[in-house]
């Protein structure tokens, strides 16, 4: 039998669902990827433009703040910057009051500024220069661990300008040189550079600082500056630097004294000299104090801190996925790719689905043309494979039924031809005067006529069961009493064959069944058992009650049935020994009738057998209602059971009926009928 349950992992529905899911997933992923790429590109472009514009604007405004004491004159600069960048530029103080705005729309500003303009503190976090404690934590360059007291090598300047200062280098204030002083500083630096190049063979460059002073930069280490080079004159302060430098020097030393730092003398390039040995800790103190002094000096000469806002002129949503030619081609290419992938999956799935169906269609057409051996060659375990397996099973069943039908027609013709030939021959002999029409001839003709009648009645019973016209009167039936009647009817045949009959059925077992049909099916089984049990053997009838069913076992000690023939025992006209005649084995319908009658009661019949040991036929019948009282003497039962009508394939349906007594009297037709009752071959029990 083909199982209708298909594992989920092999389900065709699951495969189709997976196909749709894969296509949908590819579409979603492709769409998401395209959207993400276009969005990211648009965001990067927009953010890049804004950041670039913000950097340019912040640098320009920082330069303005470094050279102006307030923001009152910044409007023209802001306007030019706004026109050049296409952005709205707004400058507010740290409290949020608008100082300069490139537009007059008055639109609200973002919560976070684009930048902070503070030329005296350019660190993004608003921090200060590193403290002495921070620098002291840095290991010494020579590898020593004396933190905070690392030796600092000397040079032309005891300490260079404050690199990494948070103050914008363009904020010079009073330290800025005038044009004449710039020229003087340049000439001095050029002469010093020429002398150093000639004497040290070093790479010497002249650079100009934000204040306008020219300084000399020497690449590589120089042990000492030759005395022939006028270093002192080049480093001397110019007239405009003397006053501001003195103020810075005084404020710086006041700060270092408070922090127990060294006293220093500042140089015009904001380096310094000191009498005490230099360490990293002392340099950090001087750097911090010099930065504070510069802020104090420059506060009156630079614009106060401000917040910069760079925004779009109109706050509208940006369309990242525009319908440009490039994007159209991208969308078309991606859609084509998704379509190709979908068609590929569909082609594979369609081939796997259509191929087996085509094979199945071919097999169906062959069978319709009369080829009952046609089979669908499909080796799959999904729904299509299940359909093919079911078709193959149906084809095998139909082929087998056709073979049985042909065999049945031949057997029926054979069974009817033999007695008819005998009767015809006897009558023709009597007609020709060759045989005397005495009582012996009449008895012989009567016996042949009875045999014909029994075959016809068996066929009629089977035809009625097949057509659903076999009616059963279902009533409480004591099993032991029925078995006694059946064994009594077979007692003479058993005695003649030297076979002992034993009834082992308990008197308490009662089934709901038709008495006539139960005696008929049990009679067929006992007939077979007696016929195929050798002298000295026995036939035992027993019964057991299990889960609402009574199982009646007819067990013999006869020849047994080979295992290969057991599945065919209940087939019509099936014979294990084709050479067996009707006289030695019957017509081959008895066990088929047993199965039909048993299934008509809603039960079942089975057989187990061991060659040379015997066979056991087990009939399973429903137990009767225990509320029905039985009169053991008369066999009458008080209660009502419906009359059951047998439908096709042995199913029963209720039909109106009334209760009544168990029919009493002898088992009808048991003797002669059982002699002609069908059995299988000699291997049947």
């Amino acid at each position: 039998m083909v199982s209708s349950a298909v594992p989920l992992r092999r389900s065709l529905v699951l495969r189709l669902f997976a196909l749709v899911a894969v296509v949908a997933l590819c579409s979603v992923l492709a769409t998401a990827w395209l959207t993400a790429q276009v969005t990211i590109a648009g965001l990067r472009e927009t953010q890049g433009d804004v950041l670039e514009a913000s950097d340019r604007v912040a640098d320009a405004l920082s330069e303005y703040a470094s050279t102006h004491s307030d923001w009152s004159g910044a409007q023209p600069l802001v306007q030019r910057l706004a026109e050049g960048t296409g952005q709205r530029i707004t400058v507010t103080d740290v409290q949020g009051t608008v100082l300069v705005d490139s537009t007059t729309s008055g639109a609200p500003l973002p919560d976070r500024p684009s930048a902070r303009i503070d030329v005296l503190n350019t660190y993004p976090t608003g921090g200060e220069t590193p403290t002495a404690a921070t620098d002291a934590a840095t290991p010494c360059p020579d590898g020593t661990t004396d933190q905070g007291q690392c030796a600092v090598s000397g040079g032309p300047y005891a300490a260079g300008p404050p690199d990494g200062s948070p103050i914008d280098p363009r904020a010079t204030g009073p330290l800025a040189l005038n044009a004449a002083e710039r020229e003087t500083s340049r000439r001095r630096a050029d002469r010093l550079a020429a002398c150093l190049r000639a004497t040290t063979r070093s790479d010497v460059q002249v650079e100009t600082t934000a204040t306008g002073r020219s300084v000399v930069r020497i690449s590589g280490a120089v042990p000492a500056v030759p005395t022939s080079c006028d270093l002192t004159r080049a480093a001397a302060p110019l007239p405009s630097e003397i006053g501001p430098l003195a103020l810075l020097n005084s404020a710086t030393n006041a700060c270092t004294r408070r922090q127990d730092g060294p006293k220093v003398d500042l140089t015009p390039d904001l380096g310094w000299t000191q009498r005490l040995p230099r360490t990293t800790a002392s340099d950090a103190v001087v750097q911090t104090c010099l930065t504070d002094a510069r802020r104090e000096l420059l506060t009156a000469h630079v614009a106060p801190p401000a917040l910069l806002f760079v925004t779009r002129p109109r706050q509208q949503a940006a369309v990242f996925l525009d319908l440009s030619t490039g994007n159209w081609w991208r969308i078309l290419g991606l859609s084509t790719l998704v379509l190709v992938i979908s068609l590929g999956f569909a082609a594979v799935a369609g081939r796997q689905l259509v191929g087996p169906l085509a094979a199945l269609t071919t097999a169906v057409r062959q069978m319709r043309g009369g080829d009952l051996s046609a089979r669908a060659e499909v080796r799959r375990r999904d729904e299509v494979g299940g359909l093919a397996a079911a078709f193959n099973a149906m084809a095998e069943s139909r082929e087998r039924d056709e073979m049985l039908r042909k065999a049945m027609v031949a057997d029926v013709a054979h069974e009817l031809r033999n007695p008819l030939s005998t009767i015809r021959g006897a009558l023709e002999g009597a007609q020709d005067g060759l045989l005397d029409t005495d009582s012996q001839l009449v008895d012989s003709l009567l016996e042949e006529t009875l045999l014909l009648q029994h075959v016809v009645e068996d066929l009629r019973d089977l035809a009625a069961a097949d057509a659903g016209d076999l009616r059963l009167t279902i009533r409480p039936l004591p099993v032991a009493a029925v078995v006694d009647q059946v064994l009594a009817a077979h007692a003479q045949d058993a005695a003649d064959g030297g076979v002992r009959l034993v009834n082992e059925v308990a008197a308490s077992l009662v089934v709901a069944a038709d008495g006539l049909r139960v005696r008929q099916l049990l009679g067929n089984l006992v007939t077979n058992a007696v016929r195929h049990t050798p002298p000295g053997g026995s036939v035992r009838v027993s019964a057991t009650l299990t889960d609402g069913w009574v199982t009646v076992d007819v067990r013999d000690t006869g020849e047994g049935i080979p295992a290969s023939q057991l599945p065919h025992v209940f087939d019509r006209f099936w014979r294990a020994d084709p050479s067996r005649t009707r006289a030695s084995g019957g017509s081959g319908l008895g066990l088929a009738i047993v199965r039909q009658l048993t299934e008509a009661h809603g039960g079942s019949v089975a057989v187990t057998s061991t060659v040379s040991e015997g066979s056991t036929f087990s009939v399973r019948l429903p137990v009767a209602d225990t509320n029905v009282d039985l009169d053991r003497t008369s066999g009458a039962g008080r209660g009502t059971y419906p009359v059951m009508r047998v439908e096709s394939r042995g199913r029963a349906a209720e039909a109106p009926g009334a209760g009544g007594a168990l029919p009493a009297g002898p088992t009808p037709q048991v003797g002669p009928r059982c002699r002609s009752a069908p059995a299988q071959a000699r291997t049947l029990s």
Side-chain angles (χ1 to χ4, degrees):
M1 178 178 293
V2 180
S3 175
S4 60
V6 177
L8 183 60
R9 60 188 178 87
R10 299 184 181 276
S11 173
L12 183 60
V13 176
L14 182 61
R15 293 184 183 182
L16 294 177
F17 178 79
L19 171 63
V20 174
V22 168
V23 173
L25 181 61
C26 291
S27 302
V28 170
L29 291 178
T31 303
W33 178 83
L34 177 61
T35 303
Q37 292 299 316
V38 175
T39 303
I40 291 173
L43 287 175
R44 287 177 177 174
E45 182 179 357
T46 302
Q47 291 176 351
D49 293 343
V50 173
L51 291 175
E52 183 180 0
S54 298
D55 292 342
R56 292 202 311 269
V57 171
D59 184 70
L61 292 178
S62 294
E63 183 178 4
Y64 175 88
S66 298
T67 56
H68 296 78
S69 59
D70 55 37
W71 295 98
S72 58
Q75 184 65 41
L77 174 62
V78 169
Q79 201 66 40
R80 289 196 304 272
L81 292 173
E83 294 173 357
T85 59
Q87 307 290 332
R88 176 190 175 190
I89 299 175
T90 306
V91 180
T92 69
D93 59 16
V94 293
Q95 285 78 29
T97 302
V98 177
L99 301 176
V100 186
D101 196 341
S102 62
T103 66
T104 58
S105 62
L109 297 173
D111 295 334
R112 298 181 61 182
S114 302
R116 177 185 174 92
I117 308 299
D118 186 0
V119 296
L120 299 182
N121 189 3
T122 57
Y123 285 171
T125 58
E128 301 291 340
T129 51
T131 61
T134 302
D135 273 355
T138 304
C140 298
D142 59 2
T144 61
T145 57
D146 188 9
Q147 302 290 342
Q149 298 298 325
C150 298
V152 179
S153 60
Y157 298 94
D163 294 334
S165 173
I167 299 176
D168 193 313
R170 292 171 294 186
T172 58
L175 293 176
L177 302 180
N178 55 40
E181 290 174 334
R182 289 172 183 264
E183 183 64 26
T184 300
S185 176
R186 182 69 184 187
R187 288 196 302 270
R188 292 178 180 178
D190 288 341
R191 285 196 296 270
L192 177 59
C195 179
L196 291 174
R197 291 191 191 99
T199 56
T200 63
R201 305 296 181 181
S202 301
D203 183 14
V204 181
Q205 301 293 331
V206 177
E207 300 177 0
T208 301
T209 64
T211 63
R213 168 175 281 277
S214 298
V215 296
V216 176
R217 304 295 184 191
I218 303 176
S219 300
V222 179
V225 177
T227 56
S228 58
C229 298
D230 193 1
L231 178 60
T232 303
R233 183 175 178 81
L238 295 170
S240 62
E241 295 175 327
I242 296 175
L245 198 59
L247 293 175
L248 284 176
N249 200 75
S250 175
T252 300
N253 284 322
C255 175
T256 57
R257 283 196 300 272
R258 291 193 296 271
Q259 299 186 36
D260 296 329
K263 181 180 180 181
V264 297
D265 292 322
L266 298 179
T267 58
D269 62 352
L270 299 183
W272 70 88
T273 60
Q274 63 185 55
R275 294 179 178 83
L276 295 176
R278 286 182 55 202
T279 64
T280 54
S282 66
D283 280 1
V285 171
V286 175
Q287 287 275 15
T288 302
C289 291
L290 177 58
T291 299
D292 293 341
R294 290 180 63 198
R295 284 176 179 158
E296 183 179 352
L297 176 66
L298 296 175
T299 298
H301 300 277
V302 299
L307 302 179
L308 171 63
F309 295 88
V310 179
T311 57
R312 288 182 176 273
R314 294 181 300 276
Q315 297 295 329
Q316 61 183 6
V319 180
F320 299 128
L321 184 58
D322 57 12
L323 298 180
S324 63
T325 303
N327 282 336
W328 270 114
W329 281 109
R330 293 188 188 97
I331 294 174
L332 180 60
L334 188 61
S335 301
T336 303
L337 179 62
V338 172
L339 180 60
V340 170
I341 294 176
S342 302
L343 291 178
F345 276 108
V348 174
R351 184 177 180 85
Q352 292 182 350
L353 178 62
V354 173
L357 292 179
L360 185 59
T361 302
T362 301
V364 171
R365 289 174 178 171
Q366 291 175 350
M367 178 170 288
R368 185 180 61 184
D371 183 7
L372 298 182
S373 64
R375 301 292 185 269
E377 298 296 332
V378 178
R379 295 178 177 84
R380 295 172 56 166
R381 289 187 286 178
D382 54 11
E383 285 86 348
V384 177
L387 176 61
F391 170 81
N392 291 337
M394 179 194 69
E396 292 175 1
S397 176
R398 183 177 175 185
E399 185 178 19
R400 183 172 60 252
D401 291 343
E402 181 65 15
M403 294 174 60
L404 291 176
R405 183 187 67 81
K406 294 178 180 179
M408 179 178 176
V409 171
D411 288 337
V412 169
H414 177 75
E415 294 295 334
L416 295 178
R417 183 176 64 249
N418 288 343
L420 287 175
S421 297
T422 301
I423 294 173
R424 178 183 175 182
L427 292 176
E428 288 178 348
Q431 185 180 30
D432 294 338
L434 299 177
L435 295 176
D436 295 332
T437 55
D438 53 10
S439 60
Q440 183 178 0
L441 177 61
V442 173
D443 291 340
S444 176
L445 294 178
L446 178 60
E447 183 179 0
E448 295 297 331
T449 304
L450 289 175
L451 291 176
L452 283 174
Q453 180 184 0
H454 295 156
V455 172
V456 172
E457 287 179 354
D458 287 343
L459 291 173
R460 185 189 62 185
D461 289 342
L462 290 175
D466 289 338
D469 293 333
L470 183 65
R471 293 183 176 272
L472 303 177
T473 302
I474 305 299
R475 294 171 180 163
L477 183 67
V479 180
V482 175
V483 173
D484 283 339
Q485 294 176 9
V486 172
L487 296 184
H490 290 77
Q492 185 61 46
D493 291 340
D496 294 342
V499 178
R500 186 164 57 96
L501 302 179
V502 181
N503 183 358
E504 299 177 344
V505 179
S508 60
L509 295 179
V510 181
V511 296
D514 185 308
L516 290 175
R517 296 303 181 181
V518 171
R519 285 196 292 274
Q520 181 180 354
L521 68 90
L522 290 179
N524 288 352
L525 294 177
V526 173
T527 297
N528 287 336
V530 171
R531 179 182 294 123
H532 297 293
T533 300
S538 64
V539 175
R540 297 178 180 273
V541 182
S542 60
T544 56
L545 175 62
T546 305
D547 297 331
W549 294 88
V550 173
T551 302
V552 180
D553 295 327
V554 178
R555 183 180 300 105
D556 63 61
T557 58
E559 304 163 355
I561 306 172
S564 61
Q565 299 174 0
L566 287 177
H568 307 288
V569 166
F570 298 100
D571 292 345
R572 301 174 187 182
F573 293 107
W574 189 89
R575 294 174 176 175
D577 183 5
S579 64
R580 190 204 66 203
T581 64
R582 174 170 49 84
S584 63
S587 63
L589 296 175
L591 292 181
I593 293 175
V594 169
R595 181 173 63 179
Q596 289 284 12
L597 294 179
T598 304
E599 292 177 351
H601 287 82
S604 61
V605 60
V607 58
T608 59
S609 181
T610 302
V611 176
S612 301
E613 294 184 7
S615 304
T616 300
F617 285 82
S618 301
V619 177
R620 191 166 178 258
L621 298 173
V623 69
D625 189 350
T626 55
N627 294 325
V628 177
D629 297 328
L630 294 176
D631 186 345
R632 286 294 179 188
T633 302
S634 63
R638 294 189 297 274
T640 301
Y641 281 80
V643 175
M644 306 299 292
R645 176 180 179 275
V646 177
E647 294 181 348
S648 298
R649 293 174 296 279
R651 293 181 300 173
E654 292 185 2
L662 176 68
T667 304
Q669 309 284 341
V670 169
R673 184 179 180 86
C674 287
R675 282 196 297 272
S676 63
Q680 297 298 334
R682 291 184 59 81
T683 55
L684 290 177
S685 58

